[in-house]
Amino acid sequence: MISTERIQPNLVTVADMDAEDAIDLIHEAQAYKAGKQAFLKAPAYAVNLFFENSTRTKTSFQMAEHKLGMQVLEFEAKTSSTQKGETLYDTVKTMESIGVNVAVIRHPENEYYDQLLDHQLHTGIVNAGDGSGQHPSQCLLDMMTIDEEFGGFAGLKVLIVGDLTHSRVAHSNAMMLSRLGAQVYFAGPQDWYDPLLEKYGTYGDLDELLPHMDVVNLLRVQNERLTSAANEAFDAQGYHQRYGLTMARAAMMKPGAIIMHPAPVNRGVEIDSDLVEAPNSRIFTQMQNGVYTRMAILSRVLRYQGLM
Ligand code: CP
């Protein structure tokens, strides 16, 4: 049961979420996974406003909304009036006007949600990823997966590997892992090292760190956020040899250590294709846990509105 002081109108970042808050959400997600049923007090409507591509997050939120008994409105950015110049605020205000209770939004602009929260809309805002800023639902499903595996976070060594600069997963996971008591390490190309992460962990050499880690959290190279020159210069094979989880590196992992990746996976770049479904890979467990985590997030917003 979520404590009443933790019921919030929106969920846009893990920056304003303490460890207890995250644990509350993880426990509710685990309860949903164990079969807890949700009951709405009145009809509730969701819309998923995705202005960046998505497979997992969008369908996973849709699944969570259906499992909670919500009605889900269709929206495609490419055929919406945003193509005629309508602002994000006017789009969300429209959703509020027609009776949408929760808008789940993915947008390329970092902290796009600030412009919406300034207006105190009745529609709850759930962030499904803002540029290179935050990916709170991915972060919480990753924390759920780690908690399920290890029964807690204290002293756990977690290595986040890859495109640290452009990854919203790196930013939200590093922040929350350190709050939960894990020891966070980073590895990846020097050009993609982000000094903003220094307060959460330690940067080091991949091959030196790897044998000591409990969790290896790989990141996708965010080609959509690189300049065209950087994309042209990117050597996928060279990256795989230097920073990818190869079969040789996987053999260096300690017994009981797990592989995580938010996906989509670029097989043969950040991870050898044969490791994606290795016995110690939790990549598809993460996706499964995503549905329950998103049910917990939506439930919190619906409780604030008195709908649950
Ligand atoms: N992990 C993740 O955000 O995947 P999608 O981009 O497919 O939603």
Side-chain angles (χ1 to χ4, degrees):
M1 181 70 187
I2 300 270
S3 54
T4 44
E5 69 271 18
R6 299 195 182 283
I7 298 172
Q8 300 286 332
N10 309 293
L11 197 154
V12 295
T13 171
V14 297
D16 53 16
M17 191 180 287
D18 61 22
E20 281 181 37
D21 205 358
I23 295 289
D24 265 358
L25 281 161
I26 291 167
H27 284 171
E28 180 154 51
Q30 288 167 342
Y32 278 128
K33 190 171 182 176
K36 172 182 159 162
Q37 297 292 312
F39 298 100
L40 293 174
K41 292 180 182 167
Y45 299 90
V47 68
N48 301 304
L49 308 176
F50 276 61
F51 298 94
E52 269 191 351
N53 294 344
S54 169
T55 294
R56 266 146 299 278
T57 312
K58 188 173 179 184
T59 54
S60 175
F61 265 112
Q62 283 170 337
M63 183 62 89
E65 288 152 1
H66 285 296
K67 279 178 178 273
L68 291 174
M70 301 180 78
Q71 310 288 320
V72 185
L73 277 63
E74 285 180 23
F75 177 90
E76 285 301 333
K78 283 194 180 112
T79 53
S80 76
S81 287
T82 57
Q83 301 295 327
K84 303 178 202 166
E86 188 164 58
T87 64
L88 178 63
Y89 168 69
D90 284 334
T91 302
V92 179
K93 185 72 186 166
T94 302
M95 296 301 142
E96 179 192 53
S97 308
I98 65 173
V100 169
N101 302 101
V102 185
V104 177
I105 306 176
R106 171 171 287 190
H107 200 278
E109 188 184 317
N110 283 27
E111 297 173 9
Y112 70 81
Y113 45 80
D114 281 346
Q115 60 184 295
L116 304 175
L117 302 191
D118 282 350
H119 290 278
Q120 298 187 327
L121 294 154
H122 297 297
T123 298
I125 308 297
V126 174
N127 182 14
D130 60 297
S132 59
Q134 285 271 314
H135 197 342
S137 65
Q138 179 73 45
C139 173
L140 291 165
L141 75 88
D142 287 348
M143 299 307 118
M144 175 183 175
T145 305
I146 293 171
D147 185 60
E148 214 170 53
E149 191 75 30
F150 298 100
F153 298 87
L156 217 58
K157 291 185 167 68
V158 182
L159 175 61
I160 304 179
V161 187
D163 181 0
L164 299 161
T165 306
H166 305 103
S167 171
R168 51 194 173 214
V169 176
H171 295 139
S172 33
N173 282 15
M175 186 182 280
M176 187 47 74
L177 282 164
S178 72
R179 278 181 198 173
L180 289 166
Q183 293 172 29
V184 187
Y185 299 85
F186 307 105
Q190 191 65 42
D191 284 352
W192 294 339
Y193 176 60
D194 187 344
L196 290 174
L197 293 171
E198 272 163 19
K199 54 182 173 287
Y200 306 118
T202 311
Y203 187 79
D205 179 77
L206 173 60
D207 292 323
E208 284 174 22
L209 290 168
L210 199 62
H212 309 286
M213 296 296 125
D214 298 295
V215 178
V216 179
N217 187 174
L218 303 166
L219 302 171
R220 181 176 65 84
V221 176
Q222 305 275 296
N223 298 100
E224 68 274 32
R225 298 188 213 291
L226 302 184
T227 62
S228 47
N231 267 320
E232 271 173 40
F234 181 67
D235 167 16
Q237 229 178 351
Y239 180 90
H240 183 63
Q241 288 312 314
R242 182 64 191 88
Y243 300 106
L245 190 65
T246 59
M247 298 302 276
R249 285 200 179 98
M252 289 162 56
M253 289 173 67
K254 72 180 197 185
I258 60 168
I259 301 165
M260 294 176 64
H261 189 307
V265 169
N266 287 313
R267 290 171 182 257
V269 184
E270 60 269 6
I271 183 169
D272 187 293
S273 186
D274 287 343
L275 292 169
V276 173
E277 293 181 68
N280 64 336
S281 166
R282 296 294 174 270
I283 295 172
F284 290 95
T285 308
Q286 288 171 263
M287 295 179 206
Q288 185 192 25
N289 286 344
V291 174
Y292 303 110
T293 300
R294 288 164 179 134
M295 288 174 77
I297 290 169
L298 292 164
S299 296
R300 193 168 86 159
V301 176
L302 291 171
R303 277 191 201 100
Y304 181 85
Q305 297 183 20
L307 290 167
M308 190 178 268

